[in-house]
mmCIF file with all atom_site columns, all heavy atoms in Angstrom:
data_model
loop_
_atom_site.group_PDB
_atom_site.id
_atom_site.type_symbol
_atom_site.label_atom_id
_atom_site.label_alt_id
_atom_site.label_comp_id
_atom_site.label_asym_id
_atom_site.label_entity_id
_atom_site.label_seq_id
_atom_site.pdbx_PDB_ins_code
_atom_site.Cartn_x
_atom_site.Cartn_y
_atom_site.Cartn_z
_atom_site.occupancy
_atom_site.B_iso_or_equiv
_atom_site.pdbx_formal_charge
_atom_site.auth_seq_id
_atom_site.auth_comp_id
_atom_site.auth_asym_id
_atom_site.auth_atom_id
_atom_site.pdbx_PDB_model_num
ATOM 1  N N   . GLN A 1 6  ? 0.971   -227.657 -163.814 1.00 57.00 ? 6  GLN A N   1
ATOM 2  C CA  . GLN A 1 6  ? 0.816   -226.407 -164.561 1.00 57.00 ? 6  GLN A CA  1
ATOM 3  C C   . GLN A 1 6  ? 0.186   -226.664 -165.919 1.00 57.00 ? 6  GLN A C   1
ATOM 4  O O   . GLN A 1 6  ? -0.692  -225.915 -166.375 1.00 57.00 ? 6  GLN A O   1
ATOM 5  C CB  . GLN A 1 6  ? 2.165   -225.715 -164.727 1.00 57.00 ? 6  GLN A CB  1
ATOM 6  C CG  . GLN A 1 6  ? 2.704   -225.106 -163.437 1.00 57.00 ? 6  GLN A CG  1
ATOM 7  C CD  . GLN A 1 6  ? 4.016   -224.413 -163.675 1.00 57.00 ? 6  GLN A CD  1
ATOM 8  O OE1 . GLN A 1 6  ? 4.844   -224.848 -164.477 1.00 57.00 ? 6  GLN A OE1 1
ATOM 9  N NE2 . GLN A 1 6  ? 4.244   -223.318 -162.973 1.00 57.00 ? 6  GLN A NE2 1
ATOM 10 N N   . ILE A 1 7  ? 0.633   -227.741 -166.578 1.00 52.00 ? 7  ILE A N   1
ATOM 11 C CA  . ILE A 1 7  ? 0.094   -228.057 -167.904 1.00 52.00 ? 7  ILE A CA  1
ATOM 12 C C   . ILE A 1 7  ? -1.389  -228.387 -167.820 1.00 52.00 ? 7  ILE A C   1
ATOM 13 O O   . ILE A 1 7  ? -2.207  -227.901 -168.603 1.00 52.00 ? 7  ILE A O   1
ATOM 14 C CB  . ILE A 1 7  ? 0.878   -229.237 -168.523 1.00 52.00 ? 7  ILE A CB  1
ATOM 15 C CG1 . ILE A 1 7  ? 2.299   -228.789 -168.884 1.00 52.00 ? 7  ILE A CG1 1
ATOM 16 C CG2 . ILE A 1 7  ? 0.165   -229.767 -169.758 1.00 52.00 ? 7  ILE A CG2 1
ATOM 17 C CD1 . ILE A 1 7  ? 3.195   -229.927 -169.319 1.00 52.00 ? 7  ILE A CD1 1
ATOM 18 N N   . LYS A 1 8  ? -1.770  -229.209 -166.820 1.00 54.00 ? 8  LYS A N   1
ATOM 19 C CA  . LYS A 1 8  ? -3.173  -229.593 -166.688 1.00 54.00 ? 8  LYS A CA  1
ATOM 20 C C   . LYS A 1 8  ? -4.044  -228.399 -166.333 1.00 54.00 ? 8  LYS A C   1
ATOM 21 O O   . LYS A 1 8  ? -5.157  -228.249 -166.835 1.00 54.00 ? 8  LYS A O   1
ATOM 22 C CB  . LYS A 1 8  ? -3.304  -230.685 -165.623 1.00 54.00 ? 8  LYS A CB  1
ATOM 23 C CG  . LYS A 1 8  ? -2.844  -232.059 -166.103 1.00 54.00 ? 8  LYS A CG  1
ATOM 24 C CD  . LYS A 1 8  ? -3.242  -233.147 -165.123 1.00 54.00 ? 8  LYS A CD  1
ATOM 25 C CE  . LYS A 1 8  ? -2.927  -234.530 -165.677 1.00 54.00 ? 8  LYS A CE  1
ATOM 26 N NZ  . LYS A 1 8  ? -3.366  -235.609 -164.781 1.00 54.00 ? 8  LYS A NZ  1
ATOM 27 N N   . GLN A 1 9  ? -3.537  -227.523 -165.453 1.00 60.00 ? 9  GLN A N   1
ATOM 28 C CA  . GLN A 1 9  ? -4.319  -226.345 -165.069 1.00 60.00 ? 9  GLN A CA  1
ATOM 29 C C   . GLN A 1 9  ? -4.518  -225.432 -166.267 1.00 60.00 ? 9  GLN A C   1
ATOM 30 O O   . GLN A 1 9  ? -5.625  -224.953 -166.532 1.00 60.00 ? 9  GLN A O   1
ATOM 31 C CB  . GLN A 1 9  ? -3.612  -225.593 -163.940 1.00 60.00 ? 9  GLN A CB  1
ATOM 32 C CG  . GLN A 1 9  ? -4.385  -224.361 -163.468 1.00 60.00 ? 9  GLN A CG  1
ATOM 33 C CD  . GLN A 1 9  ? -3.669  -223.639 -162.343 1.00 60.00 ? 9  GLN A CD  1
ATOM 34 O OE1 . GLN A 1 9  ? -2.598  -224.042 -161.920 1.00 60.00 ? 9  GLN A OE1 1
ATOM 35 N NE2 . GLN A 1 9  ? -4.259  -222.577 -161.872 1.00 60.00 ? 9  GLN A NE2 1
ATOM 36 N N   . THR A 1 10 ? -3.425  -225.193 -167.018 1.00 57.00 ? 10 THR A N   1
ATOM 37 C CA  . THR A 1 10 ? -3.529  -224.337 -168.206 1.00 57.00 ? 10 THR A CA  1
ATOM 38 C C   . THR A 1 10 ? -4.423  -224.975 -169.253 1.00 57.00 ? 10 THR A C   1
ATOM 39 O O   . THR A 1 10 ? -5.220  -224.297 -169.902 1.00 57.00 ? 10 THR A O   1
ATOM 40 C CB  . THR A 1 10 ? -2.126  -224.081 -168.799 1.00 57.00 ? 10 THR A CB  1
ATOM 41 O OG1 . THR A 1 10 ? -1.289  -223.536 -167.784 1.00 57.00 ? 10 THR A OG1 1
ATOM 42 C CG2 . THR A 1 10 ? -2.209  -223.129 -169.974 1.00 57.00 ? 10 THR A CG2 1
ATOM 43 N N   . ALA A 1 11 ? -4.285  -226.308 -169.399 1.00 52.00 ? 11 ALA A N   1
ATOM 44 C CA  . ALA A 1 11 ? -5.112  -227.011 -170.385 1.00 52.00 ? 11 ALA A CA  1
ATOM 45 C C   . ALA A 1 11 ? -6.588  -226.889 -170.034 1.00 52.00 ? 11 ALA A C   1
ATOM 46 O O   . ALA A 1 11 ? -7.428  -226.655 -170.911 1.00 52.00 ? 11 ALA A O   1
ATOM 47 C CB  . ALA A 1 11 ? -4.693  -228.475 -170.451 1.00 52.00 ? 11 ALA A CB  1
ATOM 48 N N   . SER A 1 12 ? -6.912  -227.046 -168.751 1.00 58.00 ? 12 SER A N   1
ATOM 49 C CA  . SER A 1 12 ? -8.309  -226.940 -168.323 1.00 58.00 ? 12 SER A CA  1
ATOM 50 C C   . SER A 1 12 ? -8.866  -225.550 -168.588 1.00 58.00 ? 12 SER A C   1
ATOM 51 O O   . SER A 1 12 ? -10.016 -225.383 -169.000 1.00 58.00 ? 12 SER A O   1
ATOM 52 C CB  . SER A 1 12 ? -8.424  -227.278 -166.835 1.00 58.00 ? 12 SER A CB  1
ATOM 53 O OG  . SER A 1 12 ? -8.018  -228.608 -166.591 1.00 58.00 ? 12 SER A OG  1
ATOM 54 N N   . GLN A 1 13 ? -8.038  -224.528 -168.348 1.00 56.00 ? 13 GLN A N   1
ATOM 55 C CA  . GLN A 1 13 ? -8.465  -223.153 -168.619 1.00 56.00 ? 13 GLN A CA  1
ATOM 56 C C   . GLN A 1 13 ? -8.723  -222.950 -170.109 1.00 56.00 ? 13 GLN A C   1
ATOM 57 O O   . GLN A 1 13 ? -9.674  -222.287 -170.512 1.00 56.00 ? 13 GLN A O   1
ATOM 58 C CB  . GLN A 1 13 ? -7.415  -222.171 -168.113 1.00 56.00 ? 13 GLN A CB  1
ATOM 59 C CG  . GLN A 1 13 ? -7.290  -222.151 -166.590 1.00 56.00 ? 13 GLN A CG  1
ATOM 60 C CD  . GLN A 1 13 ? -6.123  -221.307 -166.123 1.00 56.00 ? 13 GLN A CD  1
ATOM 61 O OE1 . GLN A 1 13 ? -5.289  -220.890 -166.918 1.00 56.00 ? 13 GLN A OE1 1
ATOM 62 N NE2 . GLN A 1 13 ? -6.067  -221.051 -164.818 1.00 56.00 ? 13 GLN A NE2 1
ATOM 63 N N   . LEU A 1 14 ? -7.848  -223.539 -170.929 1.00 53.00 ? 14 LEU A N   1
ATOM 64 C CA  . LEU A 1 14 ? -8.021  -223.416 -172.377 1.00 53.00 ? 14 LEU A CA  1
ATOM 65 C C   . LEU A 1 14 ? -9.273  -224.151 -172.837 1.00 53.00 ? 14 LEU A C   1
ATOM 66 O O   . LEU A 1 14 ? -10.003 -223.682 -173.711 1.00 53.00 ? 14 LEU A O   1
ATOM 67 C CB  . LEU A 1 14 ? -6.797  -223.978 -173.102 1.00 53.00 ? 14 LEU A CB  1
ATOM 68 C CG  . LEU A 1 14 ? -5.539  -223.091 -173.080 1.00 53.00 ? 14 LEU A CG  1
ATOM 69 C CD1 . LEU A 1 14 ? -4.361  -223.870 -173.649 1.00 53.00 ? 14 LEU A CD1 1
ATOM 70 C CD2 . LEU A 1 14 ? -5.779  -221.825 -173.902 1.00 53.00 ? 14 LEU A CD2 1
ATOM 71 N N   . VAL A 1 15 ? -9.505  -225.327 -172.225 1.00 52.00 ? 15 VAL A N   1
ATOM 72 C CA  . VAL A 1 15 ? -10.672 -226.114 -172.624 1.00 52.00 ? 15 VAL A CA  1
ATOM 73 C C   . VAL A 1 15 ? -11.960 -225.326 -172.404 1.00 52.00 ? 15 VAL A C   1
ATOM 74 O O   . VAL A 1 15 ? -12.896 -225.381 -173.198 1.00 52.00 ? 15 VAL A O   1
ATOM 75 C CB  . VAL A 1 15 ? -10.708 -227.444 -171.837 1.00 52.00 ? 15 VAL A CB  1
ATOM 76 C CG1 . VAL A 1 15 ? -12.053 -228.131 -172.001 1.00 52.00 ? 15 VAL A CG1 1
ATOM 77 C CG2 . VAL A 1 15 ? -9.592  -228.351 -172.320 1.00 52.00 ? 15 VAL A CG2 1
ATOM 78 N N   . SER A 1 16 ? -12.010 -224.564 -171.317 1.00 54.00 ? 16 SER A N   1
ATOM 79 C CA  . SER A 1 16 ? -13.220 -223.792 -171.011 1.00 54.00 ? 16 SER A CA  1
ATOM 80 C C   . SER A 1 16 ? -13.469 -222.692 -172.036 1.00 54.00 ? 16 SER A C   1
ATOM 81 O O   . SER A 1 16 ? -14.581 -222.184 -172.145 1.00 54.00 ? 16 SER A O   1
ATOM 82 C CB  . SER A 1 16 ? -13.105 -223.179 -169.608 1.00 54.00 ? 16 SER A CB  1
ATOM 83 O OG  . SER A 1 16 ? -12.050 -222.226 -169.573 1.00 54.00 ? 16 SER A OG  1
ATOM 84 N N   . LEU A 1 17 ? -12.418 -222.333 -172.783 1.00 48.00 ? 17 LEU A N   1
ATOM 85 C CA  . LEU A 1 17 ? -12.560 -221.276 -173.779 1.00 48.00 ? 17 LEU A CA  1
ATOM 86 C C   . LEU A 1 17 ? -12.739 -221.814 -175.194 1.00 48.00 ? 17 LEU A C   1
ATOM 87 O O   . LEU A 1 17 ? -12.959 -221.053 -176.135 1.00 48.00 ? 17 LEU A O   1
ATOM 88 C CB  . LEU A 1 17 ? -11.314 -220.369 -173.749 1.00 48.00 ? 17 LEU A CB  1
ATOM 89 C CG  . LEU A 1 17 ? -11.040 -219.661 -172.404 1.00 48.00 ? 17 LEU A CG  1
ATOM 90 C CD1 . LEU A 1 17 ? -9.718  -218.905 -172.498 1.00 48.00 ? 17 LEU A CD1 1
ATOM 91 C CD2 . LEU A 1 17 ? -12.173 -218.707 -172.051 1.00 48.00 ? 17 LEU A CD2 1
#
Side-chain angles (χ1 to χ4, degrees):
Q6 288 181 324
I7 290 172
K8 284 191 173 183
Q9 181 180 1
T10 305
S12 298
Q13 293 173 349
L14 284 171
V15 167
S16 65
L17 300 175

